[in-house]
Amino acid sequence: MPELSYRMLNIGSAPAGLLGLEELFAELFAQGVTPTDEKLADLLLAGVRKHNYVPKVAEKDYASALRMEYTRYYRRKQQGKAIVARDYGTWRGYPREQIPWFPTISEELCNNCGACLEICAREVYERDENGRVWVAEPFLCLVGCCFCKSVCEPKAILMPGQELLKNYPEKM
Ligand code: SF4
Ligand code: SF4
């Protein structure tokens, strides 16, 4: 059996490692499943569960993160762009994807003004087709930065506390 792809995704407000995501997306795209398909969330959850454990209580967060990610995948495929696994590098010797430092947006508070998107030089944020701002590339976020949080007037952006970084001492 060929080795499955592995990548981290920001689920809720924590990173989760998932097996077989690229294969699942490719399969759904080949079947003509679009991001607006009403069965998409169920198909994604069922597909991910083949190789990963998805806790019942986190289903909603998984469905939302997977739907966003599939939408990006779908757009790139439609534009004929290559789908390549991204290398997020390391921080203090740890794979960047193991460090849960990235913004989380409160949907209730966010007014989609776009200030965070404009100020972030790392392309962490994107707007979806409905104009909603979301955290598209959490692992591009610069560890230790809180810049976007300071420009968000409704205080919709949550960032981890600096004390989190003490858990990641420099690796020799
Ligand atoms: S700056 Fe705040 S309110 Fe504006 S889009 Fe970003 S998260 Fe939403
Ligand atoms: S914390 Fe800094 S790097 Fe991270 S998303 Fe905000 S502005 Fe971009």
Side-chain angles (χ1 to χ4, degrees):
M1 192 174 157
E3 205 174 300
L4 287 169
S5 65
Y6 177 80
R7 61 184 284 207
M8 303 290 278
L9 209 60
N10 176 23
I11 311 274
S13 56
L18 294 175
L19 279 170
L21 206 55
E22 311 304 332
E23 293 82 350
L24 172 62
F25 286 176
E27 197 183 316
L28 294 178
F29 186 83
Q31 288 169 8
V33 178
T34 69
T36 53
D37 194 308
E38 59 184 30
K39 296 191 304 289
L40 179 60
D42 290 342
L43 291 170
L44 287 166
L45 282 172
V48 162
R49 279 199 161 111
K50 281 185 195 165
H51 306 291
N52 306 274
Y53 172 63
V54 177
K56 203 87 183 132
V57 290
E59 255 183 13
K60 213 172 140 212
D61 286 341
Y62 269 78
S64 158
L66 289 165
R67 183 191 289 279
M68 291 287 201
E69 204 56 27
Y70 182 66
T71 303
R72 294 180 73 220
Y73 175 94
Y74 189 89
R75 277 203 215 130
R76 289 186 72 82
K77 287 289 270 187
Q78 275 198 319
Q79 292 163 2
K81 290 185 184 164
I83 307 292
V84 281
R86 198 151 196 169
D87 179 3
Y88 296 100
T90 58
W91 187 77
R92 288 185 182 167
Y94 302 87
R96 174 62 185 91
E97 290 156 278
Q98 288 181 9
I99 303 175
W101 184 281
F102 42 75
T104 306
I105 297 180
S106 158
E107 285 182 29
E108 290 77 38
L109 296 177
C110 176
N111 60 18
N112 296 303
C113 68
C116 53
L117 193 148
E118 281 162 29
I119 207 142
C120 178
R122 294 229 159 184
E123 300 180 348
V124 171
Y125 296 98
E126 280 183 14
R127 248 185 225 284
D128 69 13
E129 61 278 10
N130 301 314
R132 201 178 126 217
V133 174
W134 68 293
V135 180
E137 282 285 3
F139 302 114
L140 287 182
C141 177
L142 180 67
V143 177
C145 178
C146 277
F147 210 16
C148 50
K149 184 178 174 181
S150 65
V151 301
C152 178
E153 281 189 18
K155 304 205 180 311
I157 297 178
L158 301 173
M159 293 295 302
Q162 294 284 336
E163 61 278 5
L164 170 98
L165 305 181
K166 290 186 192 146
N167 299 329
Y168 302 90
E170 196 85 46
K171 275 192 183 174
M172 291 299 160

